[in-house]
Amino acid sequence: MMLEIKNLHARLADGREILKGIDLSVAAGEVHAIMGPNGSGKSTLAAVLAGREGYEITEGSVRYQGRDLLAMAADERAREGVFLAFQYPVEIPGVNNTYFLRAAVNAQRRHRGDPELDAGQFLRLVRATLKLLDIGDDLLQRAVNVGFSGGEKKRNEIFQMAMLEPRLAILDETDSGLDIDALRTVARGVNGLRSPDRAIVMITHYKRLLDYVEPDYVHVLQDGRIIQSGDKDLAAELEQRGYGTFADAMGGDAA
Amino acid sequence: MSASLDTQNTVRELSQEGYKYGFVTDIEADTAPPGLDESTVRFISAKKEEPEWLLDWRLAAFRAWREMTEPDWAKVNVAPIDYQAATYYSAPKQSAGPKSLDEVDPELLAMYEKLGIPLRERAALAGVELAGVAVDAVFDSVSVATTFKKELGELGIIFCSFGEAVREHPELVRRYLGTVVPQNDNFFAALNSAVFSDGSFAYIPPGVRCPMELSTYFRINAAKTGQFERTLLIADKGSYVSYLEGCTAPQRDENQLHAAVVELIAHEDAQIKYSTVQNWYPGDAEGKGGIYNFVTKRGACRGARSKISWTQVETGSAITWKYPSCILEGDDSVGEFYSVAITNNRQQADTGTKMIHIGKNTSSTIISKGISAGRGQNTYRGLVRIQPRAHGARNYTQCDSLLIGDRCGAHTVPYIEVRNPSARVEHEATTSKISDDQLFYCRQRGLSDEDALSLIVNGFCKEVLKELPMEFAVEAQKLLAVSLEGSVG
Ligand SMILES: Nc1ncnc2c1ncn2[C@@H]1O[C@H](COP(=O)(O)OP(=O)(O)O)[C@@H](O)[C@H]1O
Ligand SMILES: [Mg+2]
């Protein structure tokens, strides 16, 4: 199993419990979509999986390729192939985007025991990836996310994902606020990554992305729990009926 | 068993990594008795077989110094300095001055090798990091060797130790010495003027573009020794020179005083680029030991359209007190100050610049990046003065502070005096903290804590680092990383 989450409970430093018993299994080759209203804990789940500090895991376990994911440091998880496309990518002033990405790629290669890429080799890889995603090279020489539009930030996340070729990619609302062209770029990135030895978890608000990337499973996250799972038809149903009805049907306590 | 041995070695390497230049070199030295009075000044001057005028100059400085008190306006806490306990002259024992590198003590050469300084003028240097750099190395009080002298001499460039300049080019020294930083300028400059032992001298003749970086390395080795070197750099009409200064010192428990004076003179259309990477021993994590770096650096843009550019990366010293300045006398002259100052642990830095606009249409740029970590205290102090005659003068100042952790401090103290209504003065200041979001973003891409920090800090300093000559920029980036080790996580 690529990712196996069992009864995961997480709370904030102030004691507020956000994740209240998540169960989720993702096998290699699969694409899962996680949907749910604002504040239901989707980003928190992504952050906990990526190893962000500030959350206390009070119960449950997460295994990644058979290993205890929660015991690994954030950077180790990344080097082991866990990638998170951020909902709000952060700006790093003065750090060249290409330089940053090369540092990331080489950190991973060192970890795997592969030789580092020199500037030339790296640039060839960059060109090939840009072509594959059909995006321009205008982002390369700017500082990481600095002054990027919302769409540019998301494209940059997808570009990084494509360069890093993760085992497990988690996309946190990468489709939000995108025009149709940018949405297609995201879809190209995800579909290009799809393979029997990778898994993808897409957190999304809208069914729109799922029209371009067909998920194997759809889950509804509400108030820190997965309240329903199904196939892609569930997404269509959700869009028609809204989350509220679901919560009512399930006896949930969402406001 | 071999595993545990490996671990031990690693631990040892790691603990030395903190300050890897902290070794002491065992060399026979010729040292003045501790204490400071007129006889000390006479002793130094006699040791150096100086002419009468220079002894008189020193004595005037000494008398001025005796009447002065230590400045206390800087935002630094200095333990009282006992000027009578220090030693004011220590020279590696050698018969007369070395005539060539072959006469230099091999121990010394080995030490400079350890510091990564290419003292030997060999073509083989081509592959070495600082290749193509002419070096004047100052060890404790005296200049030990100057490389590439012959090549420079063919262009009429003079680059030698201060002492040699006094002997070989007294007219030049006498004409310029003290014209930018007078003997009684301030407490530490007066002290330096009285007891300076050596330093570097350079003169670039009219129209000559110096083909290589000129460089001085300062090293304090002997215990309880103050280092008081003087640098005098003259760029004649239409010439250009880029000058690098680097410094290290052994790790010692007691504080050591470094009070240097640097004077730059740029004539018409001349340009001087002066870069410093200061890596004196900063003291240990508790603030024990370390160098007191009280330095007066000033450049005069004497001629029209001349330009002086200071770039400094200050990572070391327990206390840094330093304000490289530009006196913009010539019309259309330009002054620049680019600075990165890091304080970690208990380090304190009060640094900045003075831009004095005298001529018409003079312009100055100040970019200061202060980084504070641990319990470090970092103050930018800068003066921009526009004199009444300075029509059309312009200044742009940008001061950015970066805080790492919440026990450190950053302070910005700008003084702006505008006496000509046509002047334009802009000042921008920001203070930011390295955010957890930034660190997490980097770590999520596979970078370790340290790499993430160093990446973010280097990004923050980029506008300054790009002003450094290539070889120095790489060195400076590594230094930034080492200086901040252990400040996150
Ligand atoms: N670091 C944090 N500090 C404070 N509140 C947080 C933090 N992370 C999440 N929360 C809170 O947890 C809840 C779930 O948030 P989030 O996981 O971002 O939801 P979603 O991504 O589903 O919109 C919200 O009430 C949010 O305010
Ligand atoms: Mg969210």
Side-chain angles (χ1 to χ4, degrees):
Chain A
M1 197 55 73
M2 181 67 76
L3 179 70
E4 199 158 27
I5 306 175
K6 284 194 176 144
N7 190 32
L8 182 66
H9 289 253
R11 65 182 186 198
L12 299 172
D14 64 12
R16 193 150 55 98
E17 186 165 64
I18 307 294
L19 302 182
K20 304 176 177 173
I22 303 265
D23 288 287
L24 181 66
S25 293
V26 180
E30 293 177 354
V31 175
H32 289 238
I34 296 180
M35 304 183 75
N38 269 331
S40 57
K42 302 184 298 295
S43 291
T44 303
L45 175 61
V48 166
L49 293 178
R52 192 180 175 126
E53 275 145 42
Y55 301 96
E56 190 192 346
I57 312 298
T58 49
E59 255 187 277
S61 65
V62 181
R63 301 199 81 77
Y64 167 66
Q65 298 186 312
R67 293 177 61 188
D68 179 1
L69 185 70
L70 301 177
M72 293 157 69
D75 49 328
E76 193 192 351
R77 296 182 202 194
R79 292 192 296 267
E80 284 286 332
V82 177
F83 180 90
L84 172 61
F86 285 72
Q87 183 174 2
Y88 305 109
V90 338
E91 303 189 353
I92 311 179
V95 177
N96 176 280
N97 207 23
T98 310
Y99 180 85
F100 174 72
L101 192 52
R102 181 147 82 100
V105 167
N106 280 334
Q108 221 182 66
R109 292 181 68 93
R110 270 198 307 276
H111 181 71
R112 289 199 306 250
D114 292 341
E116 294 187 24
L117 299 180
D118 64 31
Q121 295 167 318
F122 181 74
L123 210 62
R124 275 193 290 281
L125 186 63
V126 164
R127 300 263 170 242
T129 308
L130 288 176
K131 200 160 172 221
L132 208 69
L133 295 174
D134 193 19
I135 54 182
D137 56 7
D138 48 315
L139 303 181
L140 293 181
Q141 294 314 321
R142 291 161 67 182
V144 180
N145 293 321
V146 176
F148 286 24
S149 69
E152 284 173 335
K153 283 183 181 167
K154 298 299 174 79
R155 273 200 292 153
N156 196 35
E157 293 292 290
I158 291 301
F159 171 52
Q160 294 182 7
M161 179 180 80
M163 290 289 295
L164 288 163
E165 302 187 308
R167 283 279 155 127
L168 171 65
I170 303 163
L171 287 78
D172 191 358
E173 297 210 27
T174 305
D175 55 332
S176 289
L178 294 187
D179 62 26
I180 198 73
D181 276 350
L183 190 70
R184 286 205 179 104
T185 302
V186 172
R188 259 196 301 278
V190 178
N191 286 326
L193 203 65
R194 250 181 137 143
S195 91
D197 56 358
R198 299 210 174 93
I200 297 161
V201 175
M202 295 187 301
I203 293 170
T204 178
H205 227 59
Y206 312 100
K207 178 177 152 292
R208 212 168 55 136
L209 177 63
L210 309 184
D211 293 337
Y212 293 91
V213 185
E214 195 170 304
D216 299 298
Y217 298 95
V218 174
H219 311 276
V220 181
L221 184 68
Q222 174 110 35
D223 192 28
R225 288 185 193 90
I226 289 179
I227 55 165
Q228 175 138 4
S229 297
D231 61 12
K232 68 177 175 20
D233 295 337
L234 180 58
E237 213 175 310
L238 268 177
E239 186 142 280
Q240 270 178 11
R241 306 221 316 244
Y243 297 110
T245 0
F246 255 90
D248 295 344
M250 302 300 295
D253 51 358
Chain B
M1 149 132 195
S2 86
S4 78
L5 206 70
D6 274 349
T7 315
Q8 277 177 16
N9 284 335
T10 312
V11 168
R12 200 168 310 131
E13 274 164 26
L14 279 177
S15 56
Q16 284 173 351
E17 185 66 11
Y19 188 73
K20 70 171 173 176
Y21 305 107
F23 53 85
V24 177
T25 308
D26 212 357
I27 285 179
E28 259 198 281
D30 200 352
T31 305
L36 180 54
D37 55 23
E38 278 203 18
S39 70
T40 322
V41 177
R42 290 179 191 281
F43 173 91
I44 295 169
S45 192
K47 269 279 168 205
K48 305 189 71 64
E49 299 168 18
E50 286 176 352
E52 193 69 22
W53 66 266
L54 191 50
L55 173 63
D56 290 344
W57 193 85
R58 286 175 180 276
L59 289 171
F62 176 74
R63 285 166 201 145
W65 177 76
R66 257 193 334 209
E67 305 302 317
M68 298 167 98
T69 48
E70 282 173 66
D72 59 0
W73 42 263
K75 198 174 164 43
V76 293
N77 270 316
V78 187
I81 301 171
D82 183 353
Y83 293 93
Q84 297 306 329
T87 301
Y88 290 86
Y89 185 84
S90 171
K93 225 173 217 162
Q94 236 163 16
S95 46
K99 297 276 179 303
S100 76
L101 282 166
D102 301 332
E103 287 179 32
V104 175
D105 189 329
E107 281 252 13
L108 256 184
L109 287 180
M111 182 203 68
Y112 281 113
E113 217 167 290
K114 216 158 155 183
L115 291 169
I117 302 166
L119 205 60
R120 290 197 170 271
E121 37 197 337
R122 281 181 284 133
L125 278 179
V128 177
E129 261 185 324
L130 283 164
V133 178
V135 178
D136 183 28
V138 177
F139 182 85
D140 284 336
S141 302
V142 295
S143 176
V144 269
T146 306
T147 60
F148 287 107
K149 202 176 232 163
K150 192 161 150 282
E151 289 85 337
L152 294 169
E154 282 163 10
L155 292 164
I157 295 171
I158 303 167
F159 180 43
C160 61
S161 73
F162 200 92
E164 189 179 333
V166 170
R167 285 192 302 276
E168 309 287 327
H169 310 280
E171 68 303 333
L172 277 176
V173 176
R174 204 169 174 180
R175 183 161 149 214
Y176 289 104
L177 179 69
T179 62
V180 189
V181 180
Q183 288 129 298
N184 60 353
D185 187 81
N186 68 71
F187 183 85
F188 297 111
L191 179 61
N192 173 289
S193 301
V195 301
F196 75 90
S197 32
D198 212 332
S200 297
F201 176 88
Y203 170 79
I204 321 296
V208 171
R209 190 179 170 88
C210 185
M212 60 183 81
E213 313 278 349
L214 298 186
S215 175
T216 303
Y217 262 84
F218 296 116
R219 165 111 184 138
I220 298 180
N221 190 64
K224 295 199 174 101
T225 308
Q227 183 161 347
F228 308 95
E229 78 280 351
R230 266 195 107 87
T231 302
L232 181 55
L233 196 60
I234 301 131
D236 216 326
K237 290 182 182 170
S239 68
Y240 168 86
V241 63
S242 169
Y243 195 91
L244 314 175
E245 179 199 299
C247 348
T248 61
Q251 210 158 330
R252 294 187 190 280
D253 283 350
E254 72 273 16
N255 297 108
Q256 286 166 281
L257 180 61
H258 176 247
V261 171
V262 175
E263 295 180 281
L264 311 183
I265 292 121
H267 288 293
E268 219 171 272
D269 294 302
Q271 284 189 30
I272 301 176
K273 189 172 167 58
Y274 194 104
S275 314
T276 306
V277 173
Q278 186 265 109
N279 181 28
W280 295 118
Y281 177 54
D284 67 11
E286 268 68 58
K288 200 156 188 267
I291 302 293
Y292 287 170
N293 191 28
F294 300 149
V295 172
T296 305
K297 291 185 168 176
R298 197 174 301 156
C301 284
R302 293 261 156 90
R305 296 169 304 279
S306 56
K307 177 175 172 183
I308 290 180
S309 183
W310 298 99
T311 305
Q312 59 173 25
V313 175
E314 303 281 321
T315 68
S317 294
I319 299 177
T320 301
W321 181 98
K322 180 180 169 192
Y323 314 88
S325 306
C326 298
I327 317 280
L328 304 170
E329 298 165 22
D331 291 347
D332 300 292
S333 61
V334 176
E336 294 175 337
F337 174 73
Y338 299 97
S339 168
V340 168
I342 288 198
T343 55
N344 195 2
N345 297 321
R346 303 266 179 170
Q347 280 176 275
Q348 309 171 60
D350 192 304
T351 181
T353 184
K354 285 189 253 179
M355 294 290 175
I356 313 295
H357 293 252
I358 298 171
K360 291 195 208 51
N361 298 315
T362 45
S363 73
S364 60
T365 303
I366 299 171
I367 309 281
S368 159
K369 305 279 179 174
I371 299 154
S372 319
R375 290 168 191 265
Q377 291 294 329
N378 211 321
T379 302
Y380 167 81
R381 186 182 303 277
L383 168 69
V384 176
R385 177 183 294 153
I386 313 284
Q387 300 281 57
R389 273 206 322 111
H391 296 287
R394 297 182 302 283
N395 163 266
Y396 173 73
T397 300
Q398 182 189 328
C399 293
D400 298 320
S401 305
L402 186 67
L403 303 175
I404 303 171
D406 46 20
R407 290 180 304 172
C408 52
H411 318 274
T412 301
V413 191
Y415 306 85
I416 299 169
E417 301 172 8
V418 178
R419 298 187 190 135
N420 182 308
S422 68
R424 281 208 316 274
V425 176
E426 284 176 77
H427 180 96
E428 289 176 21
T430 66
T431 299
S432 52
K433 261 185 108 151
I434 286 198
S435 73
D436 291 345
D437 287 340
Q438 285 175 324
L439 285 171
F440 178 59
Y441 190 79
C442 295
R443 296 184 69 209
Q444 209 305 303
R445 297 300 183 249
L447 304 181
S448 66
D449 264 337
E450 273 107 49
D451 289 350
L453 183 70
S454 129
L455 190 90
I456 295 168
V457 167
N458 275 299
F460 174 75
C461 302
K462 186 174 186 183
E463 291 153 283
V464 174
L465 297 180
K466 76 174 169 41
E467 295 296 325
L468 288 173
M470 260 296 260
E471 310 86 343
F472 248 35
V474 175
E475 190 64 16
Q477 284 189 13
K478 286 189 210 146
L479 259 182
L480 294 184
V482 171
S483 311
L484 290 170
E485 243 162 43
S487 55
V488 288

